[in-house]
Amino acid sequence: MTMLRNVLALGASALALAASPAFAQDAAAPQADDSAANPEIVVTAQFREQKLQDTPLAITAVNSAMLEARSQTSVEQVAAQAPNVTLTPQGQQNGSGLIAFIRGVGQTDFNFALEPGVGIYVDDVYIPTLTGSLLDLMDLDRIEVLRGPQGTLAGRNAIGGAIKLFSSKPQGNGKGSLQVTYGSYNRIEVRGFADLKLSDTLFARVAGVSKNRDGYVKRLDYAATHPGSGVPSMGGPGPVLGTLGGQSYAAGKLSLRWVPTDTVEVNLSGDYTRDRSEAGASVLLYYNNPSVNANGQPWLPSTIDGSAIRGNCAFVPYGVNSCDTLTGYDRKFVSYGTFLDRTPATTQAPYKPLALDPHQWLDNYGVSGSIDVQLSDSLSLKSVTAWRHYKSDWSQDVDNSPLANQQLRQILVNNQWSQELRLNGKVGDMVDFTVGGFYFKRTGTLTARVDLNYAGIDFAHGPDPTPAENKALFANFTLHPTEAFNITAGLRESWDKKDYIYFRHNPDGSTIQGPCNFFLGAATAGPTGIGNQSNCLLFGLNAATGHFDGSNFDWRVAMDYRFSPELMVYAQVATGYRAGGVNPRPFFGPSSPNNQIKSFNPEKLTSFEVGFKSDLLDRRVRLNASAFYNNYKDIILTLSACPISPCLQPNNVGTAHVKGFEVETMIKPTPAFTLDGSLSYIDFKYTGFTASTAALGGLSLNMVTPYTPKWKWSFGAQYDIDGIAGGTLSARFDGSYQSKVYTEAINYDDVAVAAVSGPLATYHASNRINHYFLGNARLTWKQDADSPFSVGLEVQNLFNKYYFTSLYEQYASPKTVSGAPGMGRTWAVTVKKDF
């Protein structure tokens, strides 16, 4: 509570000063415009255009010039410079998507039944799922990363914060660019745009990108690299079966801007993304499974004597749990995954073999339109309408071995429609206001082949429809008692509704029979032993339904005071929520006394925040800071603890207090030299649990939410040298650090487990990603001309750090841990021509 008292004391001091006579100078932010000044960035976080330095929110805003200078082309890269923000690609098991956490709040599960904790928006259009959120930064004007709950300004699921991408609008100026990149792993990337004038009132902008790159994790045929092991050969021409992590991506966007009068502007856009990439990069870090079914029959019989090939250290290429003898390859980037289940068929599991294509595909497209009408000098109306669709199709073999511990192919289809209306106005010079409404409707399905040898089930999942709807009314008011002092208040009422319909069949489409003969007294080796019906554990789930509906009220009060053109301070209290839902993965249905079709409630957060924004020394030094204290309630976590297993169920588990601070700076000592940096700290503390001890499954008060590093910092330095071969040579270095994170709600540092087979006596399981520092460098020459030509050389991961972007920890069951390694040191050369 000490930090809360300090936060409130600082806020009270600022507000007390606000009550004194206003500063006599102009209360607006400084307007110095020399070449050494930091650039002004305009944001729309409060529904109207404001300078970043005048907005009483913790915001990281990055314009297109800075994105290019840092060689950032994908949304997750922005997190390196954003304090208390974690953005990372989903692992192979979840397909094409984004894991997003801000200030300890986020989500890792792609399923429609669970909502993200960070709101993602493109041109004010809400992107509702983790899938489809791993966005390329094609033809952007800027990105705004808003930290802290945005319940009144953004609405549902912006409990941790919001990430808003804004595209460049057509200007009709005839400008354009084309750039080509070649680099490591045969990376070939082409980007470009053209801005056209179709008439005096109609303008168009066309943009596109194509990205291709070979995979960086080699898939090897274990039998070919380990002759005499007894593992069956894949029968290929050589030991390399293929790669993981390869990319084949293309996207395009057409934007139209129509300005028929001085008071009306219409913007229309359509975009399409086609991703035909390989399955995500994944390597095995832990394996400790006897690899037999309930009757003791092997998943993979040895070609030597028919005995079971055991899942152990032999298939872990690198690390503390490895006893692999592989030579001739970089073992840090090796997988023995085959995407093939060769388990001998039985009467209980007759649907073998199963072969999957290793892929990660996405088709994502939509149209949107915004209409801005100036109704009068003090009143304007904005409408944002959008429709979007995606289909994500991916396969996984995350045990990365020939044993087929678990194999899945999943297809996620999303259709959404949204409409937002905002009325912005003024009442004299005293009040700015926005009132509006939002409507969102989604229909989606998940279809899958779920082959889980470790659980003794192999079934067809879905298509499971998950229709959802959200309605909201909101208002935001800013009162200006003086030129230097502002009071902002916001409120939002939201209504949510969601259904989940479960369909489960055998892989051949037949109906699952049950109850299991084992439960009827048959002498079988448990419910998955021979003598039971196929997949009988899932009996009773087909056509079952789950339902959630609820409402939530969010509010915000903020005060800001500008002491001088150089310094503004603010304090605010704000709330946010993440919508509730229904358990998407029940193993027992309504006919069972252990019915796992259960709903869970929204989680809620109240945040107390103070901060300041400053531009010093004629705007050569920009220093912004914020401190926060969050009261986090009804936290939703997915845990594998129920009265009966198997189980994987989301629950409201308890409460936490979260406190921290963030600092960002940009310094221009000279017009040619630029420094930027950020620093953040977060202290996440569970304060109590509302779920039973059995339901918590090992969750304890000293644990933290996933992907929440206690410390993060970054810095960048760029020096420009004029007059080099008729142009400017720019040298830039960016470095970023994050402390350790855990990738699961139940944190494991190092669990020692007795080996069931193999030469190692003990294995070590963990879901911790250790701290790491990454450095990137870029050297760019740009021609001094109206339509310049430029050449850039970049090196990513300059120090060749071996690290992981995510882990998939399942050491207890199915007794594996896999990880998605980040790429090692890579280089690329980019040639760009503006016209």
Side-chain angles (χ1 to χ4, degrees), residues 425-594:
K426 286 177 163 288
V427 180
D429 294 328
M430 283 292 294
V431 178
D432 294 319
F433 69 86
T434 300
V435 294
F438 175 76
Y439 178 76
F440 173 84
K441 185 176 183 179
R442 183 190 72 212
T443 58
T445 60
L446 174 61
T447 307
R449 172 68 182 269
V450 182
D451 179 10
L452 306 179
N453 280 326
Y454 76 88
I457 52 178
D458 177 9
F459 64 97
H461 175 294
D464 284 6
T466 316
E469 184 179 70
N470 171 256
K471 304 173 184 177
L473 296 173
F474 57 86
N476 198 70
F477 301 89
T478 301
L479 177 67
H480 312 288
T482 72
E483 291 184 357
F485 180 38
N486 303 297
I487 303 172
T488 300
L491 53 90
R492 189 180 191 111
E493 180 74 22
S494 301
W495 297 268
D496 291 287
K497 183 169 64 175
K498 180 184 296 184
D499 292 300
Y500 201 111
I501 306 172
Y502 307 86
F503 290 105
R504 304 290 184 269
H505 293 88
N506 291 315
D508 62 358
S510 61
T511 301
I512 294 174
Q513 303 296 318
C516 296
N517 291 334
F518 172 78
F519 296 132
L520 299 177
T524 65
T528 62
I530 294 173
N532 289 283
Q533 311 91 319
S534 298
N535 300 304
C536 59
L537 276 177
L538 305 179
F539 175 70
L541 277 175
N542 193 53
T545 61
H547 176 75
F548 167 81
D549 65 60
S551 62
N552 195 76
F553 177 74
D554 282 315
W555 56 272
R556 172 180 177 245
V557 176
M559 301 183 185
D560 64 269
Y561 184 80
R562 182 164 288 284
F563 285 94
S564 69
E566 291 77 25
L567 177 64
M568 183 269 280
V569 300
Y570 71 90
Q572 73 162 358
V573 183
T575 70
Y577 84 104
R578 173 164 44 171
V582 182
N583 179 19
R585 300 180 181 95
F587 290 87
F588 302 97
S591 61
S592 168
N594 301 299

Side-chain angles (χ1 to χ4, degrees), residues 98-115:
L98 182 71
I99 296 171
F101 278 76
I102 297 180
R103 292 182 175 176
V105 181
Q107 179 59 269
T108 62
D109 195 328
F110 68 88
N111 196 285
F112 289 140
L114 295 125
E115 303 290 341

Side-chain angles (χ1 to χ4, degrees), residues 439-752:
Y439 178 76
F440 173 84
K441 185 176 183 179
R442 183 190 72 212
T443 58
T445 60
L446 174 61
T447 307
R449 172 68 182 269
V450 182
D451 179 10
L452 306 179
N453 280 326
Y454 76 88
I457 52 178
D458 177 9
F459 64 97
H461 175 294
D464 284 6
T466 316
E469 184 179 70
N470 171 256
K471 304 173 184 177
L473 296 173
F474 57 86
N476 198 70
F477 301 89
T478 301
L479 177 67
H480 312 288
T482 72
E483 291 184 357
F485 180 38
N486 303 297
I487 303 172
T488 300
L491 53 90
R492 189 180 191 111
E493 180 74 22
S494 301
W495 297 268
D496 291 287
K497 183 169 64 175
K498 180 184 296 184
D499 292 300
Y500 201 111
I501 306 172
Y502 307 86
F503 290 105
R504 304 290 184 269
H505 293 88
N506 291 315
D508 62 358
S510 61
T511 301
I512 294 174
Q513 303 296 318
C516 296
N517 291 334
F518 172 78
F519 296 132
L520 299 177
T524 65
T528 62
I530 294 173
N532 289 283
Q533 311 91 319
S534 298
N535 300 304
C536 59
L537 276 177
L538 305 179
F539 175 70
L541 277 175
N542 193 53
T545 61
H547 176 75
F548 167 81
D549 65 60
S551 62
N552 195 76
F553 177 74
D554 282 315
W555 56 272
R556 172 180 177 245
V557 176
M559 301 183 185
D560 64 269
Y561 184 80
R562 182 164 288 284
F563 285 94
S564 69
E566 291 77 25
L567 177 64
M568 183 269 280
V569 300
Y570 71 90
Q572 73 162 358
V573 183
T575 70
Y577 84 104
R578 173 164 44 171
V582 182
N583 179 19
R585 300 180 181 95
F587 290 87
F588 302 97
S591 61
S592 168
N594 301 299
N595 180 21
Q596 294 176 355
I597 299 178
K598 296 181 179 180
S599 63
F600 50 91
N601 295 321
E603 63 179 24
K604 301 179 181 181
L605 187 146
T606 302
S607 176
F608 304 85
E609 181 178 323
V610 295
F612 69 82
K613 298 188 176 186
S614 63
D615 276 318
L616 310 173
L617 302 177
D618 293 329
R619 279 184 29 218
R620 295 171 188 264
V621 176
R622 175 169 294 167
L623 181 64
N624 298 342
S626 58
F628 61 90
Y629 180 92
N630 294 342
N631 188 10
Y632 193 12
K633 297 180 178 179
D634 297 322
I635 299 170
I636 300 169
L637 294 177
T638 299
L639 302 173
S640 56
C642 296
I644 188 170
S645 293
C647 171
L648 191 64
Q649 183 167 304
N651 285 303
N652 300 98
V653 300
T655 61
H657 290 164
V658 188
K659 58 189 176 183
F661 67 82
E662 298 140 355
V663 181
E664 295 179 278
T665 188
M666 182 173 286
I667 305 171
K668 296 197 74 172
T670 72
F673 187 31
T674 303
L675 297 168
D676 62 81
S678 67
L679 171 69
S680 63
Y681 168 82
I682 190 168
D683 181 23
F684 187 102
K685 294 289 186 184
Y686 285 111
T687 56
F689 297 123
T690 54
S692 67
T693 301
L696 293 173
L699 186 69
S700 63
L701 293 176
N702 64 343
M703 294 180 179
V704 301
T705 48
Y707 297 96
T708 302
K710 185 178 286 287
W711 289 98
K712 278 190 69 181
W713 53 263
S714 71
F715 69 92
Q718 179 171 321
Y719 193 78
D720 304 324
I721 307 172
D722 294 331
I724 303 297
T728 300
L729 184 66
S730 300
R732 181 172 182 88
F733 179 85
D734 289 287
S736 60
Y737 168 87
Q738 74 167 40
S739 58
K740 68 180 181 183
V741 300
Y742 299 93
T743 61
E744 304 292 338
I746 298 178
N747 308 158
Y748 293 126
D749 281 292
D750 184 353
V751 180

Side-chain angles (χ1 to χ4, degrees), residues 797-813:
N797 194 359
L798 180 65
F799 306 112
N800 203 28
K801 177 66 177 178
Y802 186 60
Y803 69 103
F804 291 90
T805 60
S806 66
L807 298 178
Y808 192 40
E809 177 268 305
Q810 297 180 299
Y811 98 88
S813 175

Side-chain angles (χ1 to χ4, degrees), residues 122 193 518:
V122 179
F193 80 90
F518 172 78

Side-chain angles (χ1 to χ4, degrees), residues 70 108 153 243 254 259 264 355 411 422 481 510 557 562 739 751:
R70 291 172 175 163
T108 62
L153 297 172
T243 59
L254 171 64
V259 190
V264 176
I411 300 173
R422 301 181 207 149
S510 61
V557 176
R562 182 164 288 284
S739 58
V751 180

